Coordinates of all heavy atoms in Angstrom, one line a residue:
N970 N 0.8 -1.2 0.0 CA 0.0 0.0 0.0 C 0.9 1.2 0.0 O 1.9 1.3 0.7 CB -0.9 0.0 1.2 CG -1.4 1.3 1.7 OD1 -0.9 1.9 2.7 ND2 -2.3 1.9 0.9
L971 N 0.5 2.2 -0.8 CA 1.1 3.5 -0.8 C 0.1 4.6 -1.0 O -0.6 4.6 -2.0 CB 2.2 3.6 -1.8 CG 2.9 5.0 -2.0 CD1 3.6 5.4 -0.7 CD2 3.9 5.0 -3.2
D972 N 0.0 5.6 -0.1 CA -0.9 6.7 -0.3 C 0.0 8.0 -0.4 O 0.4 8.5 0.6 CB -1.9 6.9 0.8 CG -2.9 5.8 0.8 OD1 -3.4 5.5 -0.3 OD2 -3.2 5.2 1.8
P973 N 0.4 8.4 -1.6 CA 1.2 9.6 -1.8 C 0.7 10.9 -1.2 O -0.6 11.0 -1.1 CB 1.4 9.7 -3.3 CG 1.0 8.4 -3.8 CD -0.1 7.9 -2.9
A974 N 1.6 11.7 -0.8 CA 1.1 13.0 -0.2 C 0.6 13.9 -1.4 O 1.0 13.7 -2.5 CB 2.3 13.7 0.4
G975 N -0.3 14.8 -1.0 CA -0.9 15.7 -2.0 C -0.7 17.1 -1.5 O -0.2 17.4 -0.4
V976 N -1.1 18.1 -2.3 CA -1.1 19.5 -1.8 C -2.5 20.0 -2.0 O -3.0 20.1 -3.1 CB -0.1 20.4 -2.7 CG1 -0.2 21.8 -2.2 CG2 1.3 19.8 -2.6
H977 N -3.2 20.3 -0.8 CA -4.6 20.6 -0.9 C -4.8 22.0 -0.3 O -4.2 22.4 0.7 CB -5.4 19.6 0.0 CG -5.2 18.2 -0.5 ND1 -5.7 17.7 -1.6 CD2 -4.5 17.2 0.1 CE1 -5.4 16.4 -1.8 NE2 -4.6 16.1 -0.7
V978 N -5.7 22.8 -0.9 CA -6.1 24.1 -0.5 C -7.6 24.1 -0.4 O -8.3 23.2 -0.9 CB -5.6 25.2 -1.4 CG1 -4.0 25.2 -1.3 CG2 -6.1 25.0 -2.8
R979 N -8.2 25.2 0.1 CA -9.6 25.4 0.1 C -10.1 25.6 -1.4 O -9.4 26.1 -2.2 CB -10.1 26.6 0.9 CG -10.0 26.4 2.4 CD -10.6 27.5 3.2 NE -10.1 28.8 2.8 CZ -8.9 29.3 3.3 NH1 -8.2 28.6 4.2 NH2 -8.5 30.4 2.9
Q980 N -11.3 25.2 -1.6 CA -11.9 25.3 -3.0 C -11.9 26.8 -3.4 O -11.7 27.1 -4.6 CB -13.3 24.8 -3.0 CG -14.0 24.7 -4.4 CD -13.2 23.8 -5.4 OE1 -12.7 22.8 -5.0 NE2 -13.1 24.2 -6.6
D981 N -12.1 27.7 -2.4 CA -12.2 29.1 -2.8 C -10.8 29.8 -2.7 O -10.7 31.0 -2.8 CB -13.2 29.9 -1.9 CG -12.8 29.8 -0.4 OD1 -11.7 29.2 -0.1 OD2 -13.5 30.4 0.4
S982 N -9.7 29.0 -2.6 CA -8.4 29.6 -2.6 C -8.1 30.3 -3.9 O -8.5 29.8 -5.0 CB -7.4 28.5 -2.4 OG -6.0 29.0 -2.6
P983 N -7.4 31.4 -3.9 CA -7.0 32.1 -5.1 C -6.0 31.4 -5.9 O -5.7 31.7 -7.1 CB -6.4 33.4 -4.6 CG -5.9 33.2 -3.2 CD -6.9 32.1 -2.7
F984 N -5.4 30.3 -5.3 CA -4.3 29.6 -6.0 C -4.9 28.4 -6.8 O -5.5 27.5 -6.2 CB -3.2 29.1 -5.0 CG -2.7 30.3 -4.2 CD1 -3.1 30.4 -2.8 CD2 -1.9 31.3 -4.7 CE1 -2.6 31.4 -2.1 CE2 -1.5 32.3 -4.0 CZ -1.8 32.4 -2.6
K985 N -4.7 28.5 -8.1 CA -5.3 27.4 -9.0 C -4.2 26.3 -9.3 O -4.6 25.3 -10.0 CB -5.8 28.0 -10.3 CG -6.8 29.2 -10.0 CD -8.0 28.8 -9.2 CE -9.0 29.9 -9.1 NZ -10.1 29.6 -8.2
S986 N -3.0 26.6 -9.0 CA -1.9 25.6 -9.3 C -0.9 25.6 -8.1 O -0.8 26.6 -7.4 CB -1.2 25.9 -10.6 OG -0.4 27.1 -10.4
V987 N -0.2 24.5 -8.0 CA 0.8 24.5 -6.9 C 1.9 25.5 -7.2 O 2.5 26.0 -6.2 CB 1.4 23.0 -6.8 CG1 2.3 22.6 -7.9 CG2 2.1 22.9 -5.4
K988 N 2.2 25.8 -8.5 CA 3.2 26.8 -8.8 C 2.8 28.1 -8.3 O 3.6 28.9 -7.7 CB 3.4 26.8 -10.3 CG 4.6 27.6 -10.7 CD 4.9 27.5 -12.2 CE 6.1 28.3 -12.6 NZ 6.2 29.7 -12.2
E989 N 1.5 28.5 -8.4 CA 1.1 29.8 -7.9 C 1.2 29.9 -6.4 O 1.6 30.9 -5.8 CB -0.4 30.0 -8.3 CG -0.6 30.2 -9.8 CD -2.1 30.4 -10.1 OE1 -2.9 30.3 -9.2 OE2 -2.4 30.5 -11.3
L990 N 0.9 28.8 -5.7 CA 1.0 28.7 -4.3 C 2.5 28.9 -3.9 O 2.8 29.6 -2.9 CB 0.4 27.4 -3.8 CG 0.6 27.1 -2.3 CD1 -0.2 28.1 -1.4 CD2 0.2 25.7 -1.9
L991 N 3.3 28.1 -4.5 CA 4.8 28.2 -4.2 C 5.4 29.6 -4.4 O 6.2 30.0 -3.6 CB 5.5 27.1 -4.9 CG 5.2 25.7 -4.5 CD1 5.8 24.7 -5.5 CD2 5.8 25.4 -3.1
D992 N 4.9 30.2 -5.5 CA 5.4 31.6 -5.7 C 5.0 32.5 -4.6 O 5.8 33.4 -4.2 CB 4.8 32.1 -7.1 CG 5.5 31.5 -8.3 OD1 6.6 30.9 -8.1 OD2 4.9 31.5 -9.4
D993 N 3.8 32.4 -4.1 CA 3.3 33.2 -3.0 C 4.1 32.9 -1.7 O 4.4 33.8 -0.9 CB 1.8 33.1 -2.8 CG 1.2 34.2 -2.0 OD1 1.3 35.4 -2.5 OD2 0.7 34.0 -0.9
I994 N 4.4 31.6 -1.5 CA 5.2 31.2 -0.3 C 6.5 31.8 -0.3 O 7.0 32.3 0.7 CB 5.3 29.7 -0.2 CG1 3.9 29.0 0.1 CG2 6.3 29.2 0.8 CD1 3.9 27.5 0.0
K995 N 7.2 31.9 -1.5 CA 8.5 32.5 -1.6 C 8.4 34.0 -1.4 O 9.3 34.6 -0.8 CB 9.1 32.2 -3.0 CG 9.5 30.7 -3.1 CD 10.3 30.5 -4.4 CE 9.3 30.4 -5.6 NZ 10.1 30.0 -6.9
K996 N 7.4 34.6 -1.9 CA 7.2 36.1 -1.7 C 6.8 36.5 -0.3 O 7.2 37.5 0.2 CB 6.2 36.6 -2.7 CG 6.6 36.5 -4.1 CD 5.4 37.0 -5.0 CE 5.7 36.8 -6.5 NZ 4.6 37.1 -7.3
N997 N 6.1 35.6 0.4 CA 5.6 35.9 1.7 C 5.8 34.7 2.7 O 4.9 34.1 3.2 CB 4.1 36.1 1.6 CG 3.7 37.2 0.7 OD1 3.9 38.4 0.9 ND2 3.2 36.8 -0.5
P998 N 7.1 34.5 3.1 CA 7.4 33.4 4.1 C 6.7 33.7 5.4 O 6.6 34.8 5.9 CB 8.9 33.5 4.2 CG 9.3 34.9 3.7 CD 8.3 35.3 2.7
G999 N 6.1 32.6 5.9 CA 5.3 32.7 7.2 C 3.8 33.0 7.0 O 3.1 32.8 7.9
K1000 N 3.4 33.4 5.8 CA 2.0 33.7 5.6 C 1.1 32.5 5.6 O 0.0 32.5 6.1 CB 1.9 34.5 4.2 CG 0.4 34.7 3.8 CD 0.4 35.3 2.4 CE -1.0 35.3 1.8 NZ -1.0 35.9 0.4
H1001 N 1.6 31.4 5.0 CA 0.9 30.2 4.9 C 1.2 29.2 5.9 O 2.4 28.9 6.2 CB 1.1 29.6 3.5 CG 0.6 30.4 2.3 ND1 -0.7 30.5 1.9 CD2 1.3 31.3 1.6 CE1 -0.8 31.3 0.9 NE2 0.4 31.8 0.7
K1002 N 0.2 28.7 6.6 CA 0.4 27.6 7.6 C -0.2 26.3 7.1 O -1.1 26.3 6.2 CB -0.3 28.0 8.9 CG 0.3 29.2 9.6 CD -0.4 29.5 10.9 CE 0.2 30.6 11.7 NZ 0.2 31.9 10.9
A1003 N 0.4 25.2 7.5 CA 0.0 23.9 7.1 C -0.3 23.0 8.2 O 0.2 23.2 9.3 CB 1.1 23.3 6.1
S1004 N -1.1 21.9 8.0 CA -1.4 21.0 9.1 C -1.8 19.6 8.4 O -1.8 19.5 7.2 CB -2.6 21.5 9.9 OG -2.8 20.7 11.1
G1005 N -2.1 18.6 9.3 CA -2.5 17.3 8.8 C -1.9 16.2 9.6 O -2.3 15.0 9.4
T1006 N -1.0 16.4 10.5 CA -0.5 15.4 11.4 C 0.3 16.0 12.5 O 0.3 17.3 12.6 CB 0.4 14.4 10.6 OG1 0.7 13.3 11.4 CG2 1.7 15.0 10.2
G1007 N 0.9 15.3 13.4 CA 1.7 15.8 14.4 C 3.0 16.4 13.9 O 3.4 16.2 12.8
Q1008 N 3.7 17.1 14.8 CA 5.0 17.6 14.4 C 6.0 16.4 14.1 O 6.1 15.5 14.8 CB 5.6 18.4 15.6 CG 6.9 19.1 15.3 CD 6.6 20.5 14.6 OE1 5.5 20.9 14.5 NE2 7.7 21.2 14.2
G1009 N 6.5 16.5 12.9 CA 7.4 15.4 12.5 C 6.7 14.2 11.9 O 7.4 13.2 11.6
G1010 N 5.4 14.3 11.7 CA 4.7 13.2 11.1 C 4.9 13.2 9.6 O 5.5 14.1 9.0

């Protein structure tokens, strides 16, 4: 069994591609927070 990781945002997110999201992360470090498991999971 293997369940690969994905990159998920809200449906109403302004980012339509992962490239757009990554560009914004680079421009605004600390703006985006992520979750989905414990620290180091």
Side-chain angles (χ1 to χ4, degrees):
N970 156 253
L971 173 65
D972 290 314
V976 180
H977 306 287
V978 297
R979 287 188 305 279
Q980 185 64 37
D981 62 358
S982 169
F984 307 108
K985 307 301 181 185
S986 72
V987 71
K988 189 175 184 306
E989 291 177 1
L990 173 64
L991 291 167
D992 286 343
D993 199 62
I994 289 172
K995 286 188 282 187
K996 293 175 184 176
N997 302 287
K1000 171 184 172 182
H1001 296 277
K1002 294 181 175 63
S1004 188
T1006 188
Q1008 188 84 6

